[in-house]
Amino acid sequence: MNYDVVVVGGGPAGLAFARSLAASGLRLAVVEREPRDALADPPCDGREIALTHRSVATLQRLGAWERLAPGDIAPLRAARVLNGGSHFALAFDAQGQGDEKLGHLVSNQAIRRTLFAAIQDQAGLDILSGTGVATVQTTRKRAEITLADGRLLTARLLVAADSRFSAVREQLGIEARIDRLGRSMLVCRVSHERDHGGVATEWFEHGHTIAMLPLVGHQSSAVLTLPSDAVRRLADLDADLLGVELTRRYGARLGAMRVTEGPHVYPLATSWAEHFAATRAALIGDAAVGMHPVTAHGFNLGLQGQATLARLIAEAAARGGNIAAPLLLRRYEAAHRMAARPLFTATNLLVALYTDERPAARVARHAVLRLGAQLPQVRHGVSRLLMQH
């Protein structure tokens, strides 16, 4: 089974990349261990994705955005950052940016469903579902991929999109710095008494972090971050008691909360691949960079990275060039590292500061928020970053 490009991983990054090459004339395969039914109608995983305007434009080009139902899309009009018991909030909005919204919130489930719908009848694309990858090997001539069911695939280029713990990356010999943070996120959908106004909140309370992401109507996605053992105990509560606990931890700012879906638990880890490309291979999505979710930019960065690689490949294919040329892959790596490094570094610094419970750190993080509020150019710069990446 010979292909031009084999993509390992049928998550959003892998599906978007395959769709980005729809007009390239290349023969593609996406390998995904989940069965086809789970790709076509993925289960709810509780994750809500904060999409920037750039990401929305990308999904529109891919033919996925228009497949979303109106109820799938919630406007994100502003964001507020709170620290401890202070009533002060650092605010970010779209004022002066030419749009009334910072972005949109759409569930990961809906994005995956619409991306799969966009590619399932794509000419020149095979979706090899229900099987994983056993081994991969690349040489200067080709990539060889042996599937778990024994089939052998060959390709001019191998693209890994198989998570921040990528087995393909490991087999390619690419080292990655993985930081298992010892904390977990508890994610669930809640209904509440008061209107959120389309405002997202990130509250760095002492001992925990709670985010509320505004959904359609009087609903939000509650994201609570705690040490992993504490999260597991909360996840074992029944829905009524969990709703009471979330209401308490959020200071009843939206009134009483009731859990309507979930909870889902995700151990937190960040990752950074030492290289984003190798001989006849490239990494996209979380296989390249696994972001901490606090700034909500992991998905947007992954979508941007796959678009960069797909554009370079499509241009090479159009002129009859080598789609896996070392120079092409180096150009992709350089561009994506330049886009990812500042976000990755800044996010990790933010997490380190706002999870440090020492008295000096508590004083410092409040001072940082106050300083940000006094510097309009900083707030506007962050707003542009939130809207564009």
Side-chain angles (χ1 to χ4, degrees):
M1 301 178 70
N2 302 314
Y3 296 94
D4 294 305
V5 182
V6 169
V7 184
V8 179
L15 295 179
F17 177 72
R19 184 60 179 168
S20 294
L21 291 174
S24 66
L26 298 172
R27 189 173 183 213
L28 314 171
V30 173
V31 180
E32 170 53 51
R33 70 179 116 192
E34 292 291 326
R36 192 180 185 95
D37 288 349
L39 291 174
D41 187 18
C44 180
D45 61 12
R47 289 178 287 184
E48 302 291 334
I49 308 300
L51 296 170
T52 60
H53 296 298
R54 177 186 289 182
S55 291
V56 170
T58 299
L59 292 174
Q60 288 171 336
R61 288 195 300 272
L62 299 179
W65 184 256
E66 61 267 29
R67 298 173 186 268
L68 293 168
D72 290 334
I73 306 169
L76 177 57
R77 303 192 184 282
R80 303 285 183 267
V81 181
L82 305 170
N83 178 52
S86 172
H87 293 291
F88 173 77
L90 180 59
F92 302 97
D93 54 38
Q95 185 175 4
Q97 307 301 322
D99 195 287
E100 64 174 3
K101 296 180 288 295
L102 281 177
H104 302 80
L105 283 155
V106 181
S107 72
N108 188 58
Q109 176 192 30
I111 293 171
R112 290 182 62 194
R113 183 178 64 244
T114 56
L115 280 170
F116 184 78
I119 72 161
Q120 63 176 333
D121 296 321
Q122 182 173 312
L125 170 64
D126 289 341
I127 301 171
L128 308 179
S129 57
T131 186
V133 170
T135 62
V136 301
Q137 182 179 1
T138 62
T139 67
R140 292 183 178 180
K141 293 184 177 181
R142 65 181 185 178
E144 294 185 352
I145 304 96
T146 303
L147 302 185
D149 61 13
R151 285 179 288 178
L152 175 65
L153 316 180
T154 63
R156 297 163 66 191
L157 178 66
L158 167 65
V159 175
D162 57 336
S163 88
R164 62 192 64 198
F165 306 110
S166 171
V168 171
R169 180 184 65 210
E170 183 177 355
Q171 290 196 46
L172 290 170
I174 299 176
E175 297 289 334
R177 286 177 287 144
I178 299 176
D179 186 4
R180 299 177 187 270
L181 302 174
R183 300 172 73 84
S184 294
M185 292 191 314
L186 182 148
V187 183
C188 57
R189 181 171 290 210
V190 297
S191 62
H192 40 74
E193 296 174 319
R194 298 175 190 153
D195 185 9
H196 49 54
V199 178
T201 304
E202 188 84 32
W203 187 1
F204 295 99
E205 180 58 288
H206 303 315
H208 72 255
T209 300
I210 187 166
M212 298 298 296
L213 307 178
L215 304 179
V216 174
H218 282 212
Q219 295 187 93
S220 294
S221 175
V223 184
L224 179 63
T225 304
L226 283 164
S228 295
D229 55 350
V231 166
R232 286 192 292 270
R233 288 194 296 270
L234 287 178
D236 289 336
L237 296 176
D238 67 34
D240 290 339
L241 288 176
L242 181 57
V244 170
E245 180 68 8
L246 291 171
T247 301
R248 182 186 71 80
R249 288 180 179 268
Y250 196 59
R253 289 170 179 262
L254 293 172
M257 296 183 187
R258 184 173 64 87
V259 175
T260 59
E261 196 281 324
H264 306 268
V265 173
Y266 295 99
L268 290 176
T270 63
S271 64
W272 178 272
E274 294 298 329
H275 298 284
F276 296 171
T279 301
R280 290 199 176 272
L283 312 180
I284 62 173
D286 282 359
V289 182
M291 293 277 291
H292 192 288
V294 68
T295 54
H297 266 319
F299 182 94
N300 297 294
L301 184 65
L303 206 58
Q304 180 182 344
Q306 67 78 27
T308 299
L309 180 60
R311 175 179 55 79
L312 293 171
I313 291 171
E315 290 172 353
R319 62 176 182 267
N322 181 2
I323 63 170
L327 179 58
L328 182 155
L329 296 177
R330 285 199 296 271
R331 287 176 62 195
Y332 159 68
E333 180 172 36
H336 195 40
R337 288 175 85 87
M338 185 177 296
R341 175 65 80 178
L343 276 173
F344 186 79
T345 302
T347 299
N348 289 346
L349 289 173
L350 179 72
V351 170
L353 176 62
Y354 281 91
T355 57
D356 189 337
E357 292 300 326
R358 291 175 297 181
R362 293 187 182 187
V363 172
R365 63 202 200 190
H366 189 70
V368 168
L369 291 187
R370 287 285 185 181
L371 180 62
Q374 294 169 12
L375 298 174
Q377 65 271 30
V378 172
R379 295 202 317 278
H380 294 160
V382 172
S383 294
R384 285 194 295 272
L385 182 71
L386 291 171
M387 295 170 70
Q388 294 172 4
H389 264 281

